[in-house]
Amino acid sequence: MTPYDYRDPDLRRRRFRPIPVRMLVPNVITLLAICAGLTSIRLSIEGRMSLAVYAIVFAAALDGIDGRVARMIKGQSKFGAELDSLADFVNFGVAPGLMLYFWQLHELGNAGWIAAMVFAISGGLRLARFNATMDDPNKPAFAANFFTGVPAPAGAITVLLPIYVAFLELGRAPAALTAAYTLLIAFLMVSRLPVFSGKTKRMRVPPELVLPAFVAVIVFIALLIAYPWHVLSAGTVLYLLCLPLGYKSYRDQARATEAAAPAAGEVSSPPSAPTMASLSEPPHDDDRPGRLH
């Protein structure tokens, strides 16, 4: 038997096993999202900011469906999860920061570059914290409905608001104000602010509303294509205004859980159970001295 004899059972076990196609589909979608994010950087360098924003929105759309496609076809894998995190860092951390720098922040010199860099680093820290706390056993059950901090895709779409406003011909904000807004979104990404996710909610549409739901989705896509800057601006403002509602919902559920915990503990402990102190006390008719405490 030669060292390369494939009839060796140990060698066959060491060989790579064939990978099902369903495991590759989500990764292909993630790679397409990376291509869109990198293309947005190139377009912003060339000054074609509108196309660069379209590329970021397309990457965000792909990021929203790759995980759902993976769960639908049972194609989840650890490799896919790590690839998705790297893609999010490029698409929603590095790309938006560079876009803002090439668009306006370069007017501030080093200060503008620092603002863009802080946003990109905040995106990476946000993703690292998400991966580290994803399987936290101490997390309460209701916390699965919330993100900790603004998620990276939402942060990328939100931080580009100054560009949307400029394309609406409402005037370009001062570069210092754009830098301050960029730092604010970066802070929201790395903060402990509870943000409603909606991932664990099973949304079911009644049969009589299926067709209206299809029409609503088509109308939204048509509005996004026909009036992209109006839709993106309005959506960003509404998202920011809804952040306090997520915080209030989280606090209400946390208080309800804390209030229910003592009641459950009282029910579970039997009132007549003997304690160690009562078992250690001598009988009252015993002449021996009691135990020193």
Side-chain angles (χ1 to χ4, degrees):
M1 179 181 299
T2 65
Y4 302 100
D5 193 345
Y6 290 99
R7 291 175 295 180
D8 185 2
D10 295 334
L11 184 59
R12 287 201 300 269
R13 283 195 296 267
R14 289 197 299 267
R15 296 175 62 190
F16 292 105
R17 296 179 180 179
I19 300 177
V21 176
R22 60 182 173 82
M23 304 292 292
L24 301 178
V25 173
N27 297 331
V28 171
I29 297 176
T30 304
L31 291 175
L32 289 176
I34 295 178
C35 293
L38 295 175
T39 302
S40 69
I41 297 176
R42 174 191 172 181
L43 293 172
S44 62
I45 294 174
E46 297 175 352
R48 296 186 285 178
M49 297 305 303
S50 59
L51 295 178
V53 173
Y54 295 155
I56 289 294
V57 173
F58 181 62
L62 292 178
D63 179 76
I65 66 174
D66 60 355
R68 289 171 174 81
V69 170
R71 290 188 291 270
M72 186 182 304
I73 64 178
K74 297 181 179 180
Q76 304 100 315
S77 65
K78 186 177 181 180
F79 175 84
E82 297 297 331
L83 180 63
D84 184 71
S85 295
L86 294 175
D88 289 350
F89 175 63
V90 173
N91 298 337
F92 311 125
V94 177
L98 291 177
M99 288 173 59
L100 288 170
Y101 178 77
F102 293 132
W103 178 67
Q104 189 185 38
L105 293 181
H106 67 276
E107 300 175 2
L108 299 176
N110 292 334
W113 174 246
I114 291 174
M117 190 167 50
V118 167
F119 177 82
I121 293 174
S122 299
L125 294 175
R126 166 68 178 77
L127 293 167
R129 183 180 62 189
F130 174 78
N131 293 337
T133 60
M134 186 167 48
D135 299 326
D136 185 6
N138 299 323
K139 184 186 298 185
F142 70 88
N145 297 326
F146 297 88
F147 291 121
T148 302
V150 173
I157 299 297
T158 304
V159 79
L160 298 178
L161 178 62
I163 299 180
Y164 310 153
V165 175
F167 279 117
L168 287 175
E169 298 181 355
L170 298 178
R172 177 180 295 196
L177 182 60
T178 301
Y181 177 75
T182 303
L183 295 176
L184 172 63
I185 301 301
F187 171 76
L188 291 177
M189 292 173 64
V190 298
S191 68
R192 305 291 299 179
L193 178 69
V195 179
F196 183 73
S197 66
K199 284 188 173 182
T200 60
K201 297 293 184 180
R202 295 185 177 181
M203 301 180 63
R204 297 182 180 273
V205 181
E208 63 274 10
L209 297 180
V210 171
L211 293 181
F214 282 137
V215 173
V217 172
I218 293 174
V219 169
F220 174 77
I221 296 176
L223 289 174
L224 183 60
I225 295 175
Y227 306 99
W229 313 122
H230 297 80
V231 174
L232 291 173
S233 299
T236 298
V237 173
L238 290 176
Y239 182 80
L240 294 175
L241 292 177
C242 290
L243 291 180
L245 299 179
Y247 174 77
K248 182 179 182 302
S249 176
Y250 183 91
R251 294 296 300 170
D252 292 343
Q253 296 185 46
R255 290 169 181 168
T257 302
E258 293 175 359
E266 293 175 0
V267 173
S268 60
S269 59
S272 60
T275 61
M276 294 298 297
S278 62
L279 292 176
S280 62
E281 292 179 357
H284 294 287
D285 56 353
D286 194 349
D287 295 332
R288 293 176 297 175
R291 183 177 177 180
L292 297 177
H293 296 284

